[in-house]
Amino acid sequence: MVANLYILPRYIFSMLCMLLAVAYSGLSFADQVTAALDKNTVTENEVVQLTIRTDFANTGSGPDFSPLKRDFDIVSQSQNSQFSFNLGTNQALNFWVVTLIPKAVGNFQIPPIKVGEQQSESLYIEVKPAKQMTDKLGNPLVMIKFQSNIREPYVQQQVLLTLELYTAVTLQSANLSTPNHPNLLMERLSDDQMRYEEINGTSYQVLTREYVAFPQRSGPLELTNQSVEAIVSTQRGARKVNIKSTPISLNVLPIPASYGNSNWLPTDAVAVRSVLSNSVSNPRIGDTLFWEIDITAQGVLGEQLPTLSYPSNRAYKLYPSSPTYETNKGINGVTGRASMRIEVVPTQSGPLTLPEVQVTYWDPIARQVKTATANAAVVDVAPLPNSGTSSQPNSSALPSGPIASPQDIPPQSTSVAPISLAKAKPKAQPTPEENNDSPAPIEVEVTTPSDSPSWAIMVAGILMLLGGTGIVVWILLKRRKSGASDSNSDVPTLQEFAPLSSGNEDAAYEQLLSGCRRSDLSTLRLNLLEWARHRWGDNAIRGIDDIKRLTDTPHLTQLLMEAELVMYSPSASTQWNGDALADALEEYVTGHTKPSQASQLKTLYPNF
């Protein structure tokens, strides 16, 4: 009995120890966050790994790594989870592995990392200066070069920038910077080029990236050094490299004072092409020809090229279309091109000579002003059919219809007075009494036969006198009657032939402008006469020639002449554009000159 009493306390004691062990093991599995580094001493730009472990399932949104960003760059991070079961209990283990690169040299603290409601202990790491990464020959493993083809460009002159990356090892997660500056207009010139080059016994893979830049302001300009960041695998592990180039300093020159042209164009090569092509084999007055102008310049954008403008004159009318611009890239930079197409309508027969095309530019190499020129071929323009061989510019002022040649008109005397049908009266012979100085007439005695009575001769003379007088009276009466009939058959006046349809001059003027704006050539003549008759009166207007004479405006006269040429030309009348005539009429009526298209356009590039 005593023995049993002794054994019972020992049994109870063992049970209590087991319960204490279970309770202690439960405490050992309380929620914890553990942090660990794979190395406590690293060199500059060397990679270090931080591992965070939790042994509880409710981790919320995971660890908060934001405190690490103050002293470290986070390269990458990963996560792994494990589950275990022991004595009827389960355990969840979570792991986070973070790859870090120190930002500087020195001693740094890994701050506590919080996961859920728990956080880890602080850790410490030492970062030592790193030696340059070289190979066995002492050559650097990574190099970067940044170069410019010119150090003193003019404003808006092309500058070629070259960025070369030399690598003797494989780079991971490489990040190559891009040059930029607020006062530079810059873009990539071509795709990346790859080549191999050996330097001091080390073989490098060279990546070349080219840019084209245009300075927009004069003065000093500095391009910061370019860099490459990447991960390199070494014998001691992965290491981050950050290699930088030397910066580039530019001294941008202003526009020279000796450059007098308003369109600044810095280039060393300009080519101009001027061609006049025929839409028909034998062009005549009123036909449409095409004048093509091409300007090509090396080292400038297409939008930098000038827009040329040429006025019309008495020999031709110009109708330009909007120019087109394009920019091509090559090994020597960019090449700009501007193309213009102008419709030319001859208004005068004979040789058609267009103006010389001139493009002024600044040669940065020679540092002087130069001019590129081109001339279009001369084209012979034939006159309109049935217009003779005259090449006078005012040929449209002649009346329409067939014109008699000189040989069809007989020669005329200088006088054009009408020929009188009346006989000239015989001069009266002066009597001796009227003129005593004149010699006395010689008297001739005529003897007649005695058998011819004198009264018969007298009767015959009287009859002949009466007959002649009757004939003269009949002719005079006939002429008077004919004149009366001619006066009654005059051509009807303009008022009777074409009465006015508008109420006043303003209404006729608006109708005329509206027809011109619509380019309605069929109503132009009637609208012009309607407006002119209101303005100057019916007695002063007989046709369009009177309008030309009364307006006395060369430009308006030229436009009216061109409209008549198109009106009587065999080509389609839809080619006529009445906007220019409408503008000229507004200038004449209002007395205010309309601004030209060139004055309304803004320059693409201002002077700096």
Side-chain angles (χ1 to χ4, degrees), residues 463-537:
L463 291 177
M464 291 178 62
L465 181 60
L466 292 175
T469 304
I471 293 175
V472 171
V473 172
W474 177 82
I475 291 175
L476 292 176
L477 293 177
K478 185 69 176 177
R479 285 175 55 84
R480 185 176 299 176
K481 184 178 180 181
S482 176
S485 62
D486 291 341
S487 61
N488 294 331
S489 61
D490 288 341
V491 178
T493 62
L494 188 61
Q495 297 91 326
E496 299 173 350
F497 181 74
L500 294 173
S501 59
S502 54
N504 51 38
E505 180 185 350
D506 293 338
Y509 175 68
E510 293 297 332
Q511 183 177 357
L512 172 60
L513 287 185
S514 177
C516 292
R517 296 297 183 192
R518 297 193 313 269
S519 299
D520 188 359
L521 191 60
S522 60
T523 62
L524 176 62
R525 186 179 184 88
L526 293 178
N527 290 339
L528 280 171
L529 294 176
E530 182 87 6
W531 167 70
R533 289 165 61 190
H534 275 292
R535 187 174 184 87
W536 289 288

Side-chain angles (χ1 to χ4, degrees), residues 64-127:
D64 181 13
F65 295 121
S66 59
L68 298 174
K69 296 181 179 180
R70 185 186 66 177
D71 300 322
F72 300 89
D73 290 329
I74 300 177
V75 178
S76 64
Q77 65 183 44
S78 60
Q79 180 183 1
N80 186 20
S81 299
Q82 296 180 3
F83 296 91
S84 62
F85 299 91
N86 186 13
L87 298 176
T89 60
N90 56 5
Q91 185 179 18
L93 299 178
N94 295 289
F95 299 89
W96 286 269
V97 179
V98 184
T99 303
L100 305 174
I101 295 180
K103 292 183 178 180
V105 177
N107 295 319
F108 299 96
Q109 179 188 25
I110 304 292
I113 303 301
K114 187 175 181 180
V115 182
E117 299 297 331
Q118 306 297 325
Q119 65 180 12
S120 65
E121 299 290 336
S122 300
L123 300 175
Y124 297 91
I125 185 173
E126 181 182 3
V127 181

